[in-house]
Amino acid sequence: MLKEALAQNGLIAILRGVRPDEARAIGHVLYEAGFRVIEVPLNSPDPYTSIRTLRDSLPADCLIGAGTVLTPQQVEQVKAAGGQVIVMPHSDANVLRAAKAAGLFLSPGVATPTEAFAALAEGADVLKLFPAEQVGPAVIKAWLAVLPTGTLLLPVGGITPDNMQVFIDVGAKGFGLGSGLFKPGMTVDQVASRAQAYVAAWKALS
């Protein structure tokens, strides 16, 4: 289902710092703009409540996940809150295995081919290339020449509507969008405007 959601729209919304009281409204404008995967990093205020709020208030075709997941215990807490996707800044095998055992979709962070192959061997659904500023388009092209056919690589970090083209040209199938889309303190209207700009850029390029 994660790959299907990303096939509809390859953009993942990363709501680092979102508060539970604003999660519902922000989730709705993201969904209306076309987002089908929304992530709440666990270093946000009361993240499990925000995850539950998003899951309960958005249609089933929108997957809700958690980011910055660092331990197997957090995997269980995410599942209990209704989360469906585990996103990590790294590729710790213990967390990968816990996520797969829990039946959750998995997007670990990788920055080397060794990490990418190891994460795929543990059942990763998609690979988060982090940070994208370090792992540039030339690296992505080289990786895709050796990774299994169909591997989904999603650059995360510093992605704007204006720089997506160079990544798509070398085979990137989507992006994780952080502070360019949402920062704490932004209004719902500001998030909606940025979301629409990203989705318009994505549709124009993909």
Side-chain angles (χ1 to χ4, degrees), residues 85-109:
V85 187
I86 296 297
V87 185
M88 306 156 56
H90 61 338
S91 53
D92 184 317
N94 291 324
V95 181
L96 293 166
R97 292 166 189 166
K100 297 311 289 187
L104 304 180
F105 297 108
L106 183 55
S107 177

Side-chain angles (χ1 to χ4, degrees), residues 104-188:
L104 304 180
F105 297 108
L106 183 55
S107 177
V110 297
T112 68
T114 297
E115 292 175 347
F117 277 105
L120 291 172
E122 293 290 352
D125 296 287
V126 302
L127 299 178
K128 166 185 169 181
L129 276 81
F130 177 77
E133 298 96 330
Q134 172 186 326
V135 185
V139 174
I140 293 172
K141 183 177 182 180
W143 285 24
L144 286 173
V146 295
L147 288 170
T149 301
T151 297
L152 296 186
L153 296 176
L154 277 64
V156 179
I159 302 301
T160 71
D162 297 327
N163 68 9
M164 292 194 293
Q165 179 76 64
V166 293
F167 292 99
I168 290 174
D169 286 347
V170 295
K173 299 299 183 183
F175 302 93
L177 308 176
S179 60
L181 174 66
F182 170 84
K183 291 180 182 177
M186 289 176 62
T187 66
V188 173

Side-chain angles (χ1 to χ4, degrees), residues 4-12 33-37 173 199 202:
E4 287 78 1
L6 291 172
Q8 288 189 51
N9 181 351
L11 306 178
I12 297 177
F35 283 81
R36 292 299 179 265
V37 185
K173 299 299 183 183
V199 172
W202 169 258

